[in-house]
Amino acid sequence: MIKKFTKRQLMDQCGFTDEETKIILEYQKKLPILVDNDETEGFCINARDLWTQLGGPQGQFNKWVERKFKPYGFVKNVDFKPFGQNCPKPQGGRPENEYMLSIDMAKQLAMIDKKEVGFIARSYFILMEKAVKRNMEWELIRTPLKQGYNKLKETLDSYMQRVVQRPAD
């Protein structure tokens, strides 16, 4: 599941302030989207998307992975998970690896970058994590209410069909 939020969802359903809503709306267009991954607990970020949004720092993606993953103590299948191993490049050349990052690892990598976009990325990830959790809570509460509403609507439509031969407004 990929999740993008509207202003109404962020303010009404998640209870964010105007400033927090503005940050999320502005940067969800630029920064990687949180992905709810069934195979990994929590929410994940595509490492290549993060690397791109951080300005493709200091050269090639694979070199960036080597410089950042091991020295900072990130653990395979805990902090990051390889996927699509040896995906061929579209223009030919050497195959490249892809990785999904935990939200905590993505926040830490954004801070390590020490550029303004890194700090913005970290703030965005923190807010998006809250937004997704709050939205999930809201949906859990709302789903039973929707079912009750649908049942009421069906009953009302049935009654209106019998009495005035048209559906309820």
Side-chain angles (χ1 to χ4, degrees):
M1 170 191 93
I2 295 178
K3 189 71 178 177
K4 279 196 174 190
F5 290 96
T6 64
K7 183 176 182 176
R8 183 178 162 265
Q9 285 177 309
L10 292 169
M11 295 189 83
D12 296 345
Q13 297 173 12
C14 300
F16 283 109
T17 65
D18 286 335
E19 187 176 317
E20 292 170 330
T21 300
K22 183 180 174 186
I23 290 170
I24 292 173
L25 291 175
E26 185 175 341
Y27 291 100
Q28 77 179 352
K29 297 172 191 168
K30 300 176 185 178
L31 296 169
I33 298 169
L34 297 175
V35 178
D36 186 4
N37 186 343
D38 295 333
E39 296 174 12
T40 307
E41 187 176 322
F43 300 96
C44 302
I45 308 297
N46 182 296
R48 188 174 299 277
D49 290 343
L50 177 62
W51 175 76
T52 301
Q53 294 305 319
L54 292 175
Q58 304 167 1
Q60 298 175 337
F61 174 71
N62 288 335
K63 300 272 188 209
W64 178 76
V65 167
E66 289 173 16
R67 280 193 317 273
K68 300 296 182 186
F69 285 27
K70 286 184 184 177
Y72 290 98
F74 296 121
V75 180
K76 183 177 181 179
N77 294 325
V78 174
D79 296 311
F80 66 94
K81 186 172 187 169
F83 74 94
Q85 294 284 335
N86 300 325
C87 294
K89 291 176 75 173
Q91 287 90 16
R94 290 183 18 191
E96 295 180 340
N97 295 326
E98 298 291 331
Y99 303 93
M100 289 303 278
L101 311 177
S102 69
I103 189 73
D104 291 332
M105 182 176 176
K107 286 187 276 191
Q108 192 168 352
L109 287 172
M111 286 300 292
I112 290 168
D113 191 50
K114 294 183 182 176
K115 293 180 191 169
E116 184 180 354
V117 73
F119 292 105
I120 292 169
R122 182 177 179 278
S123 297
Y124 166 76
F125 291 141
I126 290 168
L127 289 172
M128 280 298 285
E129 187 175 28
K130 286 180 187 175
V132 170
K133 286 178 182 176
R134 289 178 185 174
N135 188 61
M136 286 171 56
E137 291 168 3
W138 189 85
E139 288 291 334
L140 286 173
I141 292 168
R142 185 95 167 103
T143 300
L145 295 175
K146 281 183 186 176
Q147 291 170 347
Y149 169 78
N150 287 337
K151 194 172 189 177
L152 177 65
K153 183 178 175 281
E154 288 171 14
T155 304
L156 187 58
D157 279 342
S158 172
Y159 172 78
M160 291 296 289
Q161 284 291 351
R162 281 193 318 247
V163 174
V164 290
Q165 286 76 39
R166 68 179 181 86
D169 294 335

